[in-house]
Amino acid sequence: MSDIWRPYIVVAAVIEHEGRFLLVEERESDGSLTLNQPGGLLEAGESLEQAVAREALEESAYDFYPDAFLGVYHLNYRMKDGSDISYIRFAFTGTIGALRQQSLDPDIVRTVWMTKDELVACRERHRSVVVMQCIDDYLAGKRAPLSAVSRYTMINRT
């Protein structure tokens, strides 16, 4: 029997206000700084909407209220050793609320608001190609209702 492979399930918040998008500048393990939408890993027991609200708060200090589902993005990385790592990203749009007085996740250096043109001009700093794809999809009006994402909880009967 072969090893079971599982992708990472991540969420991302695409937040636009007055023509600018909220991004986080994060420090990578090699010390470089990249730009990404606020987001992160789904935790056990959370809905995707709960996860994106929590991650947006932890990474940007803003309350986030998802109001639409933007899409699913599959990103595969081929590592130098030939192994693969995959991320399945569930992106949401919504509105921001209060800016909280709290520290950001340890890898987050700061938050920045950028226009699409500013983002296009620094593609080499994006964490992945999915950062710009989410912005492009948002600007193209791609949206689905939150009800497009179903959640079920089952009790193991064994």
Side-chain angles (χ1 to χ4, degrees):
M1 180 178 204
S2 66
D3 290 336
I4 296 174
W5 173 85
R6 290 186 176 92
Y8 291 96
I9 304 298
V10 297
V11 293
V14 178
I15 302 167
E16 183 266 338
H17 181 71
E18 296 179 355
R20 294 186 178 275
F21 293 91
L22 179 62
L23 284 289
V24 294
E25 187 176 55
E26 52 191 343
R27 187 165 310 281
E28 299 298 323
S29 59
D30 66 1
S32 64
L33 296 175
T34 59
L35 294 167
N36 201 3
Q37 280 97 7
L41 292 169
L42 176 69
E43 292 183 359
E46 284 184 313
S47 70
L48 293 168
E49 295 97 297
Q50 290 167 334
V52 74
R54 175 187 53 76
E55 284 287 353
L57 179 61
E58 290 174 0
E59 291 199 351
S60 73
Y62 281 100
D63 288 324
F64 175 67
Y65 306 99
D67 59 23
F69 179 59
L70 186 61
V72 178
Y73 303 83
H74 179 190
L75 183 62
N76 191 66
Y77 285 101
R78 175 67 40 95
M79 307 306 285
K80 290 178 183 175
D81 67 3
S83 64
D84 289 328
I85 296 177
S86 285
Y87 296 88
I88 308 296
R89 177 190 253 216
F90 292 84
F92 294 85
T93 65
T95 57
I96 58 169
L99 176 61
R100 305 285 179 166
Q101 295 302 314
Q102 67 181 48
S103 58
L104 303 178
D105 274 357
D107 294 339
I108 305 300
V109 175
R110 66 184 176 129
T111 59
V112 293
W113 290 91
M114 300 178 77
T115 65
K116 178 185 178 181
D117 289 342
E118 291 169 333
L119 281 162
V120 168
C122 67
R123 284 182 191 262
E124 74 284 352
R125 293 196 56 223
H126 297 185
R127 176 107 187 245
S128 75
V129 297
V130 178
V131 172
M132 201 69 232
Q133 186 63 57
C134 284
I135 300 293
D136 289 340
D137 288 350
Y138 173 86
L139 291 172
K142 293 185 179 180
R143 309 280 193 288
L146 291 177
S147 61
V149 181
S150 298
R151 179 178 187 228
Y152 301 94
T153 301
M154 297 181 67
I155 298 172
N156 189 345
R157 296 184 288 190
T158 60

